[in-house]
């Protein structure tokens, strides 16, 4: 059920509304769901030590490509369904997704101790930002704000007292990733890889805030429209080692992502008389801004077990340093202040993944689980993802399918001048994905 998180509100009031707006945008840019091939998704994204999968090489450990013994290419598509709900409001959306395409090219070098090299490249959709939010009025809450309007071509404003009558926000967007990795296989015991990652992101928000102008006894809602695009870059390195024929361990590091963000913002206001008749509607104007932000890097530790080539198990532990979110070249606010605010509000997080695959000749069964912490301090808003899947080899071709379900809650900041409010609401997210692959 959606509810207001009361405790942090006072902290946010002290920090300022605009600080939190930038922080939420940074969190949207850094958020990662389990994306990749259907095999990778079915195993909960837990393949950092097992490797031999394009999804694992692109999203977990760049050394994973050199574990494979044959080249392959994959394409993944499916359907995403997301649902938001509280006691008075619910909504859901379904989308068809082209989720992944990639290839892992193997170059044998049997005459050397470096037995094999791999070049892995691919595209992944990292996350969807879609969500609908509705907040009820705050009883007996009065605040000072401005009413902005244009008169005879001149923008004007006046200050008055307002009551907060609730709001709605409709948000759509996504983040994509293109990766290029190079990895090597040393004596079939040690696998080393490095990669370059390139990102693109889009986000649109349509937010309506209801309020009553107490000074004029008029209903005075306003509408914010935000259109954001961003591009980013990061580096990745990783290693996988065979402790024995059954046990493998892996370590990988992805650098922080360096983003350049461009944002257009537009606002429109209305003024209604007490009887509901429209008094006036005013274009309050818009602006364009561009700034840089560095979002968290991540460190992943993995362990995998392969038994009799029929059963494979893997566990991953992922650390992300959200306290090091950093803003630069902000157009309207002091960079150091915003960075201090991010450090005060955010915490470093842990994520845990476990997955397994059982093979019956050419048929495979898979399952996985992921537990992910929310980066806001002192808020128990974590999420769990459950996944299952199956696959079958048809000689050179193979077909994999997966289903994953995420249940939990998320926290979003509603950026308005009325009240700096963190809102927690329940989410349900499910995906059905199919991968067609070809080995050569």
């Amino acid at each position: 059920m959606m509810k207001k998180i009361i405790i942090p509100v006072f902290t946010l009031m002290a920090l300022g509304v605009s600080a939190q707006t930038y922080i939420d945008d940074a969190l949207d840019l850094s958020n990662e769901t389990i994306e990749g091939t259907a095999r990778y998704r079915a195993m909960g994204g837990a393949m950092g030590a097992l490797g031999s999968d394009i999804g694992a090489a692109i999203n977990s450990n760049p050394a994973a490509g050199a574990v494979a013994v044959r080249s392959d290419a994959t394409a993944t598509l499916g359907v995403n369904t997301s649902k938001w709900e509280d006691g008075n409001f619910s909504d859901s959306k379904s989308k068809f997704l082209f989720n992944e395409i990639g290839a892992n090219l193997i170059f044998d070098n049997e005459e050397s101790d470096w037995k094999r090299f791999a070049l892995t490249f691919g595209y992944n959709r990292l996350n969807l930002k879609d969500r609908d939010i509705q907040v009820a009025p705050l009883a007996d809450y009065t605040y000072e704000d401005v009413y902005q309007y244009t008169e005879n071509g001149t923008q004007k404003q006046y200050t008055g007292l307002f009551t907060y009558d609730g709001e709605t926000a409709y948000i759509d967007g996504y983040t994509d990733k293109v990766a290029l990795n190079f990895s090597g296989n040393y004596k079939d015991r040690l696998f080393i890889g490095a990669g370059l990652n390139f990102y693109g992101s889009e986000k649109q928000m349509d937010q309506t805030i209801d309020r009553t102008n107490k000074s004029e006894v008029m209903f005075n809602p306003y509408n914010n429209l935000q259109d954001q695009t961003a591009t980013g870059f990061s580096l990745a390195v990783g290693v996988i080692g065979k402790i024995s024929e059954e046990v493998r361990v892996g370590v990988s590091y992805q650098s922080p992502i360096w983003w350049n963000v461009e944002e257009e913002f537009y606002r429109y206001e209305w003024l209604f008389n007490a009887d509901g008749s429209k008094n006036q509607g005013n274009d309050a104007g818009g602006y364009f801004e561009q700034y840089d932000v560095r979002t968290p890097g991540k460190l992943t530790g993995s362990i995998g077990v392969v038994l009799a080539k029929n059963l494979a198990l893997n566990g991953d532990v992922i650390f992300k340093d959200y306290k090091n979110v950093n803003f630069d070249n902000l157009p309207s606010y002091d960079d150091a202040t915003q960075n201090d605010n991010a450090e005060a509000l955010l915490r470093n997080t842990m994520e845990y993944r476990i997955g397994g695959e059982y093979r019956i000749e050419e048929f495979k069964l898979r399952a996985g689980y992921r537990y992910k912490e929310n980066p806001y301090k002192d808020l128990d808003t974590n999420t769990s993802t459950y996944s299952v899947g199956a696959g079958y080899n048809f000689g050179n071709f193979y077909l994999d399918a997966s289903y994953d379900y995420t249940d939990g809650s998320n926290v979003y900041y509603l950026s308005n001048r009325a009240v700096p409010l963190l809102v927690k609401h329940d989410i349900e997210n499910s995906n059905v994905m199919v991968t067609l692959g070809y080995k050569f």
Side-chain angles (χ1 to χ4, degrees):
M1 178 178 294
M2 185 188 298
K3 58 183 179 181
K4 301 176 184 66
I5 310 299
I6 300 299
I7 295 176
V9 168
F10 302 104
T11 302
L12 291 171
M13 286 180 176
L15 294 175
V17 175
S18 299
Q20 191 65 21
T21 306
Y22 287 118
I23 291 172
D24 253 17
D25 285 341
L27 295 184
D28 269 344
L29 290 171
S30 62
N31 181 43
E32 294 181 353
T33 54
I34 298 177
E35 304 293 348
T37 63
R39 181 189 182 206
Y40 181 79
R41 299 174 70 111
M43 294 179 65
M47 298 190 70
L50 293 178
S52 190
D53 182 90
I54 293 173
I58 291 176
N59 297 309
S60 291
N61 190 326
V67 178
V69 297
R70 295 177 63 188
S71 300
D72 70 330
T74 60
T76 303
L77 52 82
V79 177
N80 165 268
T81 301
S82 299
K83 183 179 180 181
W84 312 268
E85 184 175 2
D86 73 12
N88 302 309
F89 172 79
S90 66
D91 198 5
S92 63
K93 293 181 181 179
S94 293
K95 283 189 174 181
F96 175 82
L97 299 178
F98 185 78
N99 193 69
E100 175 270 344
I101 186 169
N104 188 45
L105 305 180
I106 300 298
F107 302 92
D108 292 321
N109 188 34
E110 295 294 341
E111 297 180 358
S112 168
D113 288 340
W114 287 96
K115 298 170 65 66
R116 192 178 304 121
F117 296 96
L119 180 66
T120 311
F121 55 92
Y123 156 85
N124 262 201
R125 174 144 292 183
L126 288 184
N127 67 56
L128 292 175
K129 303 176 184 180
D130 302 357
R131 54 191 183 266
D132 295 350
I133 303 169
Q134 187 176 74
V135 183
L138 294 181
D140 302 322
Y141 182 81
T142 301
Y143 65 100
E144 187 177 81
D145 202 356
V146 297
Y147 170 62
Q148 298 175 321
Y149 62 101
T150 302
E151 185 176 88
N152 298 325
T154 302
Q155 186 169 328
K156 298 182 178 181
Q157 67 180 36
Y158 70 82
T159 302
L161 293 177
F162 295 83
T163 59
Y164 177 79
D165 300 329
E167 67 181 277
T168 57
Y170 303 99
I171 301 170
D172 294 291
Y174 61 85
T175 300
D176 289 341
K177 174 182 177 180
V178 175
L180 176 64
N181 298 338
F182 181 78
S183 55
N185 174 337
Y186 184 74
K187 292 185 176 182
D188 275 334
R189 308 296 295 183
L190 181 67
F191 310 86
I192 300 174
L196 306 175
N197 302 313
F198 305 91
Y199 304 84
S201 178
E202 292 190 7
K203 177 181 175 181
Q204 296 82 37
M205 181 184 70
D206 185 344
Q207 177 189 40
T208 299
I209 298 168
D210 294 330
R211 61 182 185 174
T212 298
N213 184 328
K214 295 188 69 176
S215 306
E216 305 291 334
V217 196
M218 291 182 178
F219 183 52
N220 178 208
Y222 63 90
N223 179 241
N224 292 328
L225 299 176
Q226 178 192 35
D227 190 356
Q228 180 192 90
T229 60
T231 56
F233 171 78
S234 72
L235 304 170
V237 294
V239 60
I240 297 173
K242 278 188 177 181
I243 303 301
S244 66
E245 288 302 315
E246 294 79 20
V247 180
R248 302 171 183 178
V249 296
V251 177
S252 65
Y253 174 73
Q254 179 189 284
S255 74
I257 305 175
W258 292 276
W259 292 94
N260 178 258
V261 181
E262 295 184 354
E263 188 170 272
E264 292 182 89
F265 188 86
Y266 181 82
R267 175 166 166 163
Y268 193 87
E269 299 198 28
W270 297 268
L271 199 61
F272 294 90
N273 298 316
D275 62 3
S277 61
K278 185 176 180 180
N279 183 290
Q280 59 180 310
N282 291 294
D283 181 351
Y287 64 86
F288 170 86
E289 67 178 12
Q290 185 173 2
Y291 62 93
D292 300 316
V293 59
R294 184 187 69 211
T295 58
K298 64 178 180 180
L299 178 66
T300 303
S302 310
I303 184 168
V305 178
V306 179
L307 301 176
K309 295 186 178 180
N310 291 325
L311 178 64
L313 301 171
N314 191 102
D316 288 353
V317 177
I318 302 171
F319 169 82
K320 297 189 77 171
D321 55 340
Y322 280 97
K323 289 181 70 65
N324 287 323
V325 168
N326 183 272
F327 297 94
D328 195 18
N329 299 318
L330 290 172
S332 305
Y333 301 95
D334 178 67
D335 293 340
T337 299
Q338 305 311 313
N339 294 328
D340 290 344
N341 292 338
E343 184 175 0
L345 290 168
L346 302 179
R347 61 176 179 174
N348 297 329
T349 65
M350 301 297 294
E351 181 178 330
Y352 306 93
R353 301 180 179 185
I354 187 169
E357 176 182 79
Y358 184 71
R359 177 179 300 182
I360 308 170
E361 296 182 349
E362 302 302 322
F363 183 69
K364 302 178 181 69
L365 294 173
R366 306 177 181 112
Y369 173 75
R370 179 185 75 153
Y371 178 82
K372 179 183 177 182
E373 295 180 340
N374 189 287
Y376 278 113
K377 285 183 178 179
D378 303 319
L379 297 180
D380 183 17
T381 57
N382 307 318
T383 58
S384 293
T385 301
Y386 310 85
S387 54
V388 294
Y392 193 86
N393 286 339
F394 300 89
N396 290 334
F397 286 95
Y398 59 93
L399 188 67
D400 295 324
S402 66
Y403 170 79
D404 58 83
Y405 172 79
T406 298
D407 182 31
S409 55
N410 256 329
V411 171
Y412 301 108
Y413 178 77
L414 300 179
S415 57
N416 62 71
R417 303 181 71 171
V419 50
L421 184 66
L422 283 170
V423 173
K424 174 182 175 182
H425 68 152
D426 291 339
I427 59 169
E428 293 181 23
N429 191 299
S430 62
N431 297 277
V432 177
M433 294 290 163
V434 176
T435 295
L436 177 63
Y438 178 70
K439 292 185 179 291
F440 53 96

